[in-house]
Amino acid sequence: MPVEIAPSILTADFANLERELDRIASADWVHLDVMDGHFVPNLTIGPPVVRQIVRVAPMPADVHLMIDNPDEFAPQYADIGAASVTFHWEATKAPLRLAREIRRRGAKAAVALNPATPVAVLENLLEEVDMVLIMSVEPGFGGQSFIEQSLVKLAQAKALIAGRAVKLQIDGGVSRGNIGSIARAGADIVVAGAAVFGSDDPAGEITALREATR
Ligand code: DX5
Ligand code: ZN
């Protein structure tokens, strides 16, 4: 299976989002980073903007919630049309109940792990989620450099997932230079923000990222 590319709009032009989405129309997903100024020291968008993006986006929306209390706030993102909703393991009180609730509302459910969280916490979650997100930077900002230890975590997570239909995603500091090793370590879906939107030709960069995994 080829690696799927999910550009993060965090580095996009927020005053022209519909145009920015057209520039990445060849992507498999659009990755939407929701930050609340509490779980992470940055504040981005919430349900009203996500709803409008879902309405105009030519690809499915992958919503990454970097928020406190996802148990209360995550399910509504399924209701407004997110194809996939990711909550952080570090923020949820009841991950199994939350994953079930997101699925019940028609979206894929995913759990994210911060760089310092060991993959062992996934062990009793894997039957209930569709995707695991390994953070390869501390969440909060685009344009940070890739934490190399994430390659080991990817391989460990892949081994835990074994034969299950659970996708493995990586987010943070991905570039043409490291996407080959990331794919070899087992990632199915790769988020890339600065690499795509920092380029003059986002569509060309998506193609280059795909080619760098072959
Ligand atoms: C970081 C976000 C990422 C980020 C990725 O907190 O979750 O999605 O925007 O951007 P780059 O690829 O620039 O690290
Ligand atoms: Zn993200």
Side-chain angles (χ1 to χ4, degrees):
M1 276 289 279
V3 165
E4 295 180 11
I5 307 292
S8 159
I9 61 160
L10 198 55
T11 312
D13 177 358
F14 269 77
N16 292 287
L17 282 179
E18 190 167 8
R19 193 192 68 194
E20 295 288 68
L21 291 167
D22 286 342
R23 294 170 84 202
I24 57 159
S26 60
D28 300 286
W29 301 85
V30 60
H31 181 87
L32 306 179
D33 288 306
V34 172
M35 305 185 184
D36 67 351
H38 293 273
F39 182 70
V40 289
N42 196 3
L43 186 64
T44 57
I45 56 175
V49 177
V50 169
R51 182 188 282 110
Q52 298 303 327
I53 292 174
V54 165
R55 195 172 57 79
V56 299
M59 72 291 279
D62 163 37
V63 174
H64 176 195
L65 299 174
M66 285 157 278
I67 61 172
D68 280 348
N69 201 359
D71 305 79
E72 180 177 354
F73 297 112
Q76 65 185 308
Y77 287 91
D79 296 341
I80 61 176
S84 177
V85 178
T86 302
F87 57 86
H88 267 262
W89 183 84
E90 300 82 4
T92 176
K93 293 190 177 75
L96 299 185
R97 183 170 61 212
L98 179 53
R100 285 180 181 178
E101 186 59 24
I102 291 167
R103 283 174 151 182
R104 193 179 70 76
R105 297 188 190 208
K108 292 188 183 304
V111 62
L113 305 187
N114 276 340
T117 303
V119 297
V121 304
L122 295 170
E123 208 174 326
N124 299 308
L125 282 176
L126 291 172
E127 303 298 335
E128 309 285 344
V129 296
D130 301 288
M131 184 171 79
V132 167
L133 166 54
I134 302 293
M135 286 304 300
S136 42
V137 296
E138 291 285 5
F141 301 94
Q144 304 182 75
S145 55
F146 185 82
I147 297 170
E148 291 296 324
Q149 172 70 14
S150 315
L151 292 174
V152 177
K153 283 182 74 179
L154 272 179
Q156 291 169 337
K158 195 75 182 175
L160 275 180
I161 288 169
R164 297 181 181 86
V166 177
K167 300 273 188 194
L168 193 51
Q169 186 182 49
I170 191 135
D171 182 9
V174 174
S175 66
R176 287 188 206 191
N178 59 21
I179 195 169
S181 352
I182 287 167
R184 283 191 296 278
D188 303 297
I189 303 172
V190 170
V191 177
V196 170
F197 281 106
S199 160
D200 292 337
D201 175 16
E205 191 59 33
I206 291 168
T207 304
L209 286 168
R210 285 199 178 112
E211 278 168 4
T213 66
R214 295 211 171 97

